[in-house]
Amino acid sequence: MASSYSSSSSGPRTWKYRVFTSFHGPDVRKTFLSHLRKQFNINGISMFDDQGIERGQTIAPELTRAIRQSRISILVLSKNYASSSWCLDELVEILKCKKEMGQIVMTVFYSGVDPSDVREQTGDFGDVFKKTCVGKREEEMRKWSQALTDAGNIAGEHLLNWDNESEMIEKIARDVSNKLNSTISRDFEDLVGIEAHLQKMQSLLHLDEKDGAMIVGICGPAGIGKTTIARALHSRISSTFQLSCFMENIKGSCNSGLDEYGLKLRLQELLLSKILNQNGMKINHLGMIPERLCDQKVLIILDDVDDLQQLEALANDTNWFGHGSRIIVTTEDQELLEKQCINITYHVDFPTIEEACEILCRYAFKQSWAPYGFENLAEIATELCGNLPLGLRVMGSMLRGKKEEDWESILNMLENGTIPKIHALLRVGFDSLDENEQTLFLLIAVFFNYENDGHVKTMLADSSLDVRLGLKTLAYKSLIQLSAEGEIVMHTLLQQVGIQATQKHELRKRQILTDTDDILDALENDSGSISLMGISFDTSTIKDSIEISPKALKRMRNLQFLWIYNTRWDSNVRVHLPEDMDFPPRLKLLHWEEYPGACLPHTLRTEHLVELNLENSKLKHLWKGTQPLGNLKELNLKASYNLEELPDLANATNLEILDVGECQSLVEIHSSVGNLPKLEELDMNLCRNLQVVPSLFNLSSLEKVSIMGCDRLRKLPDMSATITELRIVDTMLEEFTASIMLWSSLEGLSISGSVIPGVFSTQPHVVKLMVERSGADIERIPDCIKDLYGLERLWIIGCPKLASLPELPWSLTTLGVWNCESLETLEPFPLGSEIENLYFTDCLKLDEEARRIIIQQRSCQAFLPGRNIPAEFNHRAIGNSLTICSNACSGFKMCVIVSPKSEMEDAEDIELMCCISRNGCPTENFIFPLPSEVQSEHLAIFHSDDVIEQYSEILFEFSSSTQDVVIIECGVMCLVEETNSEQLFDN
């Protein structure tokens, strides 16, 4: 007989069921099988009851389907198993699925049955089998016999080897769980040889060992597949860790221009931001990784490491991480691993000839073998690729659809190359493109990698390039990847091919300059050619300052893309401009960080500009008068501290983004901005002297406006009805215009007062401010805020006189109130409200009714001042853990008291972690982000939807990511299904 349990799987095919158990009912149903079912329930594995299936002489059709749709089959080979032709037919079908579909088969030799008796059909087991065979056809008996032989050869659990049957059953359940958890994501199902790599890596990682942490290296040449193996491994095992992250493409980070300490700080910020899911984290010392992660079981993959400083910054000691943690480092440099004393390393071997040929064929022919006539060519191509997976993939894509004679020509070109094989392989893909496709490839490599395809199409709109078809061709040949959102991604090796390709032509014939010496020659000596399309110039690569020749850029009449940047971000001015410098006439992209002039030259022709980025410039003015700006889509003047005015932008009818944030000398936004029909984002944050902003009511495309930190701007400008995100100063609420009634699209509103914390990185969309302002603070929020029917997020920050909150929109899901020291009351949330997050940090005067409203929100996480666990949480314990017993409930609410050890004015963001275990098995993990700068004891409340259907012992364990925050007490309440109101019960 059989049973199974259904679910979907992420294996290489879609499995309807996870487990199918084949057994002889009278032998085991009321004993072994019932105990196995109970253990499976404890481990979260359920089994179907098969007694509803009618028995017969042949296997039932529904069981045949169930076998074929199951990921794992378990054979319980008891004494009378072979007495049932039904069981024997099941066995034949199971082994057929094992061979054809890769089904996992596990065996249990039960009730005195020895594997050799099954294998050879001897002993009592053999006698039973012989009786079953009486009167059967020869072919049927042969299939049964062979199936039993094969089953006897499958290693499994043998009851005679166990002193305790229950311990054997526990191990079987663990093995089933591990095998189900080890199925690989569908993202990697077609990768040749990936399973073998993963099995070897998992054996090195010793995932069953819980003591201590471990660092393991993956080493091999570029293009061998290190990153792919690491990604597949992350996909497979990350769910078994509390926290995990994949730090990609770390190579080159040591060339950022930062000193060693600054570099390590930056790398640690990136890692912590990613693993803790907090964008833009800032830290002030190098002890943050061990402080945050020393008690966490983490999986961290450091991909493409090429410098010892990177490892010293990110994984210098295994003691930085909690027990059971695994750190995986991929690199081309074996010596680097040895210097860091990383002694466990997986060296990625080249695939076998057969595997390499299959990789090439999958990309060239979309099948695992070469069709007739191409067998020899495929072998030659595989050999010339040196079995390098990346080269095989690129080569196969390039050869797809080519005729035999084209193959021979391309292979001859590859074979006769004089550059190293890996570069030759990648270069061949570039050389296979026509002239226009090559130009597009080079432009992406230098200017547009990771840009949106729409942006690239706009930049090249009036060129002779067919961008849509070109992008499709590059993606087809595996030279770029196009995401579903349209992002263009080119592999760094291919990008390097493009950069090197720009330097192969004679200087006068080059379309793009990237080499520093060539650029200096062109700018100082007027040697730039008329054929130049683009210049990408890192000014930090020059030793001395340069004087640009007045006519240098004018000679480059076809120059469209000028990108000048400084990776070091230092204050040294390296580029000096002549007063009468001429710009080329066809510029579309002008990206010049730290532009040294006070004004752009009058020779700049703006009619072709699509993007003008002059961040951190010395500009006081852009230009005088009105300019033709019909193609301009983005204008970024951020942190141009000397900028005193904006020009007339009336002709910028296609402008979508305007950023003047941190322009501290700017007093007025030009009135023309109020009539830009396509403007989507306007950022004026921290323009401290800004006093005049025109009405934005007529901006039909406007979505995001930021005016935080503009404390001299007292009046809120009229807003367009299309606004979705708004960040303002609290005094602007006093003059909320009638247009608020039209803001049906507003989803996020941030209001800042005079007492603003210095760090707000728990909410990455809130600008980090250090604003002090004297003067009146608001005492109330206008009642009309309830009419913002689409509002989902409301943040109120540092309003010390605010005493109450009015009725808020029913659409609100997040309410954050910080440092509102006078706040006492709030109105109940409207019926049907689905509030999810409530923060009342340092709002110390909340009255009892307000606290009741906050605490009784059922499916909500909340943070508010408090020193006592509320009475509703009837299970309580001092400290950070609590065990309860529950018969049935539809979820839980948890509450903990957290207390800072001292004032945390400069503290980093912190997280509260909760791990829930049921009957000894972890079931859920939660991370609750807590605001920084908490000054007193607070309650953190959150919930779980984990449904309990039978008696269980449930352990709740709470921890903090920093030692600066102590968990004093915790409490839990069980929830039941709501009827007319929330119900609680104690059990």
Side-chain angles (χ1 to χ4, degrees), residues 23 82 159 246 315 479 490 544 683 691 716 770 793 813 853:
F23 58 92
L159 182 59
F246 192 105
L479 297 174
M490 179 180 288
D544 303 309
D683 190 338
Q691 299 179 35
L716 177 70
M770 298 193 63
R793 300 172 298 279
T813 60
I853 292 172

Side-chain angles (χ1 to χ4, degrees), residues 175-356:
D175 290 345
V176 168
S177 294
N178 291 337
K179 290 180 186 297
L180 290 172
N181 290 338
S182 69
T183 54
I184 192 168
S185 166
R186 292 177 65 90
D187 295 341
F188 306 97
E189 68 185 49
D190 290 326
L191 299 181
V192 177
I194 191 68
E195 185 60 38
H197 288 303
L198 295 182
Q199 289 180 4
K200 293 174 184 177
M201 274 300 301
Q202 287 178 264
S203 68
L204 291 176
L205 289 170
H206 299 289
L207 296 172
D208 290 332
E209 294 181 11
K210 306 302 181 184
D211 292 333
M214 179 186 296
I215 304 178
V216 175
I218 301 179
C219 192
I224 193 69
K226 302 182 297 295
T227 299
T228 300
I229 294 168
R231 284 194 184 280
L233 188 65
H234 182 268
S235 174
R236 171 170 289 188
I237 68 175
S238 60
S239 62
T240 63
F241 292 80
Q242 290 175 294
L243 300 172
S244 70
C245 79
F246 192 105
M247 287 276 288
E248 61 187 352
N249 199 23
I250 297 175
K251 177 185 283 188
S253 60
C254 290
N255 299 324
S256 62
L258 297 170
D259 62 18
E260 180 177 346
Y261 190 85
L263 167 70
K264 291 180 177 180
L265 275 179
R266 179 59 181 152
L267 287 172
Q268 288 201 4
E269 286 171 351
L270 290 173
L271 173 60
L272 289 172
S273 293
K274 195 157 191 176
I275 197 167
L276 300 175
N277 195 26
Q278 294 183 18
N279 293 334
M281 280 193 66
K282 296 295 180 183
I283 63 175
N284 53 22
H285 64 85
L286 293 177
M288 295 311 303
I289 288 181
E291 284 187 18
R292 305 299 296 274
L293 303 180
C294 65
D295 57 352
Q296 298 292 303
K297 180 185 177 184
V298 300
L299 172 65
I300 298 174
I301 295 179
L302 307 177
D303 180 52
D304 210 5
V305 172
D306 69 343
D307 193 284
L308 191 61
Q309 291 182 23
Q310 297 158 354
L311 287 180
E312 290 173 343
L314 299 173
N316 197 46
D317 196 323
T318 55
N319 291 329
W320 286 9
F321 312 98
H323 289 299
S325 294
R326 296 295 182 265
I327 316 302
I328 299 168
V329 181
T330 77
T331 182
E332 300 170 27
D333 188 355
Q334 172 67 24
E335 185 180 13
L336 187 150
L337 297 175
E338 293 174 355
K339 286 181 178 179
Q340 191 66 8
C341 298
I342 299 174
N343 301 317
I344 303 175
T345 302
Y346 177 53
H347 295 273
V348 184
D349 293 327
F350 286 91
T352 65
I353 294 294
E354 293 76 18
E355 289 174 333

Side-chain angles (χ1 to χ4, degrees), residues 499-515:
I499 293 172
Q500 292 182 18
T502 64
Q503 302 169 12
K504 294 297 180 182
H505 296 101
E506 296 178 36
L507 187 58
R508 62 185 180 87
K509 294 183 179 180
R510 293 182 191 172
Q511 291 185 298
I512 299 173
L513 292 183
T514 57
D515 179 75

Side-chain angles (χ1 to χ4, degrees), residues 57 88 94 168 238 354 366-367 414 440 512 588 590 634 911 930 942:
Q57 292 299 313
L88 294 172
I94 287 169
M168 182 183 76
S238 60
E354 293 76 18
K366 294 188 176 181
Q367 59 188 32
L414 177 63
L440 181 59
I512 299 173
K588 293 186 174 184
L590 177 54
E634 180 175 347
E911 287 80 40
L930 302 181
F942 43 110

Side-chain angles (χ1 to χ4, degrees), residues 606-609 627-633 651-655:
T606 60
E607 62 263 33
H608 300 292
L609 279 175
Q627 295 286 336
L629 301 167
N631 288 303
L632 188 65
K633 290 200 167 188
N651 292 329
T653 53
N654 288 297
L655 189 65

Side-chain angles (χ1 to χ4, degrees), residues 104 137 526 839 939:
I104 298 170
R137 291 179 291 107
D526 298 349
Y839 291 87
L939 305 180

Side-chain angles (χ1 to χ4, degrees), residues 388-429:
L388 188 70
L390 178 60
L392 292 163
R393 180 168 65 89
V394 172
M395 179 66 70
S397 297
M398 185 186 66
L399 292 170
R400 186 182 301 162
K402 300 291 186 183
K403 297 179 180 179
E404 290 183 51
E405 55 267 30
D406 296 328
W407 272 63
E408 293 172 354
S409 299
I410 294 172
L411 293 179
N412 285 334
M413 180 174 62
L414 177 63
E415 189 172 18
N416 296 327
T418 58
I419 52 179
K421 278 190 175 181
I422 183 170
H423 184 72
L425 289 169
L426 301 173
R427 176 67 193 230
V428 167

